Amino acid sequence: MLNYLKIFVRNLKKHKVISLINIVGLCLGILSSLFIFEYVFYERSFDDYHENGDRVFRVVYDRYQYGKLQWKTANSFYPTGAWLKDNYSEVQDWMVISRKYNITVACENKAGDKVSYNEEKTYYTTNSIFHLFTIPLEKGDGTCLKNPSTVAISHRAAIRYFGEDDPIGKVLTVNSTEKYTVTAIFRDIPPNSHLQTDFLFSLSSFTASRPQLSANWGYDLFHTYILLAPGVDYLAFCKKAFPAMIAENYKESLDARDSRDEYFLQPLPDIHLHSNIEYETEPPGNAKMTSILYGFAIFLLIVAWINYINLVTAQSMERAREIGIRKVNGARKVSLTGQFIFEAFVFNLFCLVITFGLFFLVNPYFRWVTSIKDFNLFSHPEFLKTGILIFLAGILVSSIYPAFILSSYKPVRVLKGKFKNSMQGMTFRKSLVSFQFVISIVLLSGTFVTFRQASFLMKKDMGIDYNSKLVVRAPRTDDTQEERMNKIILFRDRIKEMPEVGDFTFSSDIPGEEINNFFSGWRKGFDRNDNKAYFQIAADDHFMDFYKVKVVAGRKFYKNETFGQQTILMNKLAADRFGYSDPEEAVGKVMVTSSGQEWQIVGVVDDFYYKSVKTEPVPTIITLNDRPKAFMTIRLSGPSLTYSSLVPKLRAVFTSVFPGQPFQYFSLDDKMMFDLRPDRTFASVFSLFSVLAILIAMIGITGLILITINQNMKEFGIRKALGAELGDVSYGLSGQLLYQFIVAMVIAVPLSFYGYKNWFLDAYNHHIDLGPWFLLVPVSVLALFMFFVILVFAVRVSRMNIRDVLQYE
């Protein structure tokens, strides 16, 4: 074994350049794959830490009316979980959560100072959340949310509000009016969870004043989860339980409106990657993209190991005489095979050690780019099962094949000098080179496509203008509605005097977030069974001009028009749901609500992408109601201005108008891009590692060209002595790769076109058209790069000293 190691080290020193090429190529391939595996397995790890996660399911449903899909939602009705538990023994437990978004939480610390923060996402829930989800309690017990006006907070929130003091028994004030007693502290929810929050309020705080909810099958602003008994087939349970639930509770009301509901159960670990419907608790991932990256990681390893196999077998003539002499002296094939397997294994192990060192060095930066937190790839069970198996299989194959090729040489042919003319292994190596070209073309095409698609999404016209806008959260105070609005107006008037401020609007919802308010009604003169639900934005009379929303029929709100005049705007989708095929037809018509109020439609606006371009526009009503308004949005007076000079001024005015309230602001541009972050991350990750994969392939091809030159140096020397020019040498080198490149192009171009068009782009509601240049440009770039490398080596050959090459001939 020690002798094998000495021979291995001697060969590394003898062929320094080729050895370095092999080490760089293999290390880059393994390193890139490890990073991709980290991203993929992190995305796949969401909610896999729950002890009963394989038996927990979220109840979701689709609503159809007149045969047309109205919505697909993660919401459900409050009685759903209780009814399923009462009627089916398969359901062991249930829980429900309800949104309590955009609140202001305050308390007094030990020193008597007021501490307050705006909290974006909090929830009402039941004690059973601690039974279905694994959320360990650091203080308190599983009955902490039994009573109204109680709250469990995270360890992170406890530090933020109370420092080192014990929060248990302390009181938190929400929106200046609601009082909640802290009864428990739970461990911070891991970042790889589809439910992120620091506050869990007792659901009885919400339901105590709404006893009708226990039998209400029309109000669906809840998320329901159920725990099934071990061994229950959840798909069979869906088919059995949900039609019965609908039939017993609200089928008549559905039939009266010519509607139907279809329910589904979503396995808890599948929610992050396999669900993208209305009212997700967190932005979902994309299962298809992670699968693409997973396959990409394997391709990178294959390319790296193909390089290694190619270079080792291409160097075979360098060791042919060694093998021939050893066989003549009695060395058996088994012994030689064992030696070469040992050398290959040691080489791979050496590269793995280097790779792991680089991985831990670069990993903090990679985690920052991809927003990976609190995740250890090497402790993830799925990676340990599949990833390590892939690495071991690759190492074995890349070790065994060259070993068998090298150990199979015939000593008679080798020692007679006939081995150079042998075609042994040539066909296989050419096939591997073609395969490398195929992968390079496919990946380079993918780089063009993914970047173009991400750019297309970010630049697509969304029907609203969100550029150069800053959002300030309106405080939730105990002022009367009139007092609150007077303060808002005072704030608006004072900041509009600033030269940086161009305009101001006040609304209940902002672009980049899901609309959280609803409006329902039916056409006047029609039966109330024609009642339909719409999303609602409460805005002011500046809203339309501020966001540059296009009016397609009727008018926008007049200046100083009020809520009391009961006028509304709606988008084209809402007009269509309302029953009008033409926007003009809707103008002037009246909508009646369940309370008997009549609202006149004064205008129809174009459909707009309110959350992001990935989320289709929804039927939306715009009203002038002041009560739910929560966001004050400011437009900069010029596109070249920045927020840095404006924010201190805004903070000063805000503090004087709303003393004691937390000042929170953010850029609307950033908010709109948040939903596209997974796509930008995917494009960046895919492109980065595509470049690395192509680099690895080019390293391998460069190594092959170098070996070809070394093995044919005398031939090139003779050609030069006979008058060969640089072009002749270049042609001689390129001719050996041109055929493989053409074969690869014929395979890769249609494969790329079909794959990216039908598998990648079809995952988007809006996508680019895949023109021929997306594929021809990558082919051209790769061809130019290849011929550039050939030209560099051809120049080196053409400048060689003929005497040094032919002196022994």
Side-chain angles (χ1 to χ4, degrees), residues 29 65 72 148 193 212 373 381 384 388 419 462 512 606 674 765:
Q65 189 171 34
K72 301 169 73 72
S193 171
Q212 71 279 7
K373 300 175 183 176
L384 295 177
I388 293 178
F419 179 70
M462 299 177 63
D606 207 357
F674 182 76
N765 296 324

Side-chain angles (χ1 to χ4, degrees), residues 641-702:
L641 294 174
T642 62
Y643 303 130
S644 57
S645 62
L646 176 61
V647 169
K649 297 180 181 179
L650 291 176
R651 188 189 300 275
V653 174
F654 184 94
T655 303
S656 66
V657 176
F658 306 104
Q661 296 297 324
F663 175 73
Q664 180 186 358
Y665 70 93
F666 52 86
S667 163
L668 197 56
D669 304 69
D670 295 340
K671 175 67 73 172
M672 292 299 292
M673 291 297 105
F674 182 76
D675 207 39
L676 296 177
R677 188 176 63 183
D679 301 274
R680 289 188 293 170
T681 300
F682 173 79
S684 300
V685 170
F686 187 90
S687 301
L688 171 63
F689 292 116
S690 290
V691 171
L692 288 176
I694 294 163
L695 178 61
I696 293 166
M698 289 298 99
I699 286 172
I701 291 168
T702 301

Side-chain angles (χ1 to χ4, degrees), residues 32 72 124 170 172 294 496 524 600 615 668 682 788:
S32 302
K72 301 169 73 72
Y124 292 110
K170 298 290 197 308
L172 292 174
Y294 185 78
K496 288 187 76 172
K524 186 176 182 179
Q600 185 180 33
T615 305
L668 197 56
F682 173 79
F788 172 76

Side-chain angles (χ1 to χ4, degrees), residues 449-593:
V449 172
T450 53
F451 254 111
R452 186 70 182 89
Q453 175 64 19
S455 176
F456 170 79
L457 290 176
M458 286 184 274
K459 293 179 180 178
K460 180 174 171 56
D461 181 15
M462 299 177 63
I464 56 172
D465 176 20
Y466 57 85
N467 296 305
S468 301
K469 293 179 173 62
L470 189 74
V471 180
V472 177
R473 279 277 306 275
R476 305 291 294 270
T477 67
D478 56 357
D479 295 327
T480 65
Q481 185 64 41
E482 184 179 359
E483 290 172 337
R484 180 171 182 258
M485 282 307 302
N486 287 337
K487 288 183 177 180
I488 295 290
I489 293 170
L490 175 61
F491 178 78
R492 179 196 67 188
D493 293 343
R494 288 181 61 180
I495 66 170
K496 288 187 76 172
E497 296 174 358
M498 301 176 185
E500 298 95 338
V501 176
D503 203 355
F504 175 97
T505 193
F506 186 35
S507 59
S508 61
D509 302 88
I510 53 169
E513 290 186 351
E514 220 155 19
I515 302 172
N516 284 303
N517 297 284
F518 294 92
F519 195 96
S520 64
W522 59 90
R523 290 173 290 179
K524 186 176 182 179
F526 282 68
D527 188 90
R528 68 180 299 145
N529 287 326
D530 192 49
N531 183 43
K532 299 182 181 69
Y534 306 85
F535 291 89
Q536 177 194 7
I537 299 173
D540 59 15
D541 53 6
H542 291 275
F543 184 86
M544 306 302 294
D545 291 334
F546 185 89
Y547 285 114
K548 299 180 181 178
V549 179
K550 182 181 178 183
V551 178
V552 295
R555 63 172 176 86
K556 58 189 176 184
F557 292 126
Y558 291 134
K559 186 176 181 180
N560 298 323
E561 195 166 352
T562 66
F563 178 70
Q565 293 174 259
Q566 297 188 189
T567 55
I568 59 173
L569 302 174
M570 61 173 54
N571 66 354
K572 291 194 295 185
L573 279 171
D576 179 67
R577 178 175 286 187
F578 206 47
Y580 298 111
S581 57
D582 182 72
E584 293 286 353
E585 188 182 358
V587 177
K589 300 300 188 297
V590 174
M591 172 184 279
V592 183
T593 65

Side-chain angles (χ1 to χ4, degrees), residues 299-501:
F299 268 134
L300 274 171
L301 287 172
I302 290 173
V303 170
W305 280 318
I306 284 175
N307 273 352
Y308 175 76
I309 292 172
N310 267 343
L311 293 175
V312 170
T313 54
Q315 279 185 286
S316 58
M317 283 181 287
E318 300 290 336
R319 304 191 67 177
R321 284 191 174 84
E322 172 198 338
I323 297 164
I325 292 171
R326 291 191 61 190
K327 281 195 171 184
V328 168
N329 286 309
R332 292 184 298 173
K333 184 174 181 178
V334 174
S335 174
L336 291 169
T337 302
Q339 174 189 342
F340 295 130
I341 289 177
F342 172 80
E343 290 182 8
F345 186 80
V346 170
F347 187 86
N348 276 274
L349 189 62
F350 177 66
C351 290
L352 273 177
V353 171
I354 296 174
T355 301
F356 283 135
L358 292 171
F359 177 80
F360 289 112
L361 183 66
V362 181
N363 200 32
Y365 175 74
F366 180 76
R367 284 170 173 261
W368 176 76
V369 170
T370 54
S371 301
I372 294 175
K373 300 175 183 176
D374 301 334
F375 179 74
N376 185 356
L377 176 66
F378 299 103
S379 66
H380 191 269
E382 197 64 29
F383 172 74
L384 295 177
K385 285 189 294 185
T386 59
I388 293 178
L389 183 64
I390 291 169
F391 281 110
L392 289 177
I395 290 172
L396 284 174
V397 171
S398 65
S399 303
I400 290 172
Y401 176 77
F404 275 105
I405 291 297
L406 290 170
S407 62
S408 63
Y409 295 154
K410 305 297 182 185
V412 175
R413 294 181 60 83
V414 170
L415 298 179
K416 284 184 177 181
K418 296 180 179 180
F419 179 70
K420 285 189 178 181
N421 298 321
S422 170
M423 295 297 294
Q424 188 170 7
M426 287 296 295
T427 302
F428 182 71
R429 288 205 302 275
K430 287 181 179 179
S431 299
L432 292 181
V433 172
S434 295
F435 183 66
Q436 281 182 299
F437 278 133
V438 169
I439 292 176
S440 299
I441 293 171
V442 169
L443 294 180
L444 192 55
S445 300
T447 302
F448 275 76
V449 172
T450 53
F451 254 111
R452 186 70 182 89
Q453 175 64 19
S455 176
F456 170 79
L457 290 176
M458 286 184 274
K459 293 179 180 178
K460 180 174 171 56
D461 181 15
M462 299 177 63
I464 56 172
D465 176 20
Y466 57 85
N467 296 305
S468 301
K469 293 179 173 62
L470 189 74
V471 180
V472 177
R473 279 277 306 275
R476 305 291 294 270
T477 67
D478 56 357
D479 295 327
T480 65
Q481 185 64 41
E482 184 179 359
E483 290 172 337
R484 180 171 182 258
M485 282 307 302
N486 287 337
K487 288 183 177 180
I488 295 290
I489 293 170
L490 175 61
F491 178 78
R492 179 196 67 188
D493 293 343
R494 288 181 61 180
I495 66 170
K496 288 187 76 172
E497 296 174 358
M498 301 176 185
E500 298 95 338
V501 176

Side-chain angles (χ1 to χ4, degrees), residues 1-20 315 318-319 322-323 326 339-340 342-343 346-347:
M1 196 68 71
L2 184 60
N3 188 47
Y4 290 168
L5 188 59
K6 288 180 180 178
I7 295 172
F8 169 71
V9 174
R10 189 182 303 134
N11 278 312
L12 283 182
K13 291 180 179 178
K14 184 179 178 181
H15 307 287
K16 293 184 179 68
V17 177
I18 297 300
S19 297
L20 182 62
Q315 279 185 286
E318 300 290 336
R319 304 191 67 177
E322 172 198 338
I323 297 164
R326 291 191 61 190
Q339 174 189 342
F340 295 130
F342 172 80
E343 290 182 8
V346 170
F347 187 86

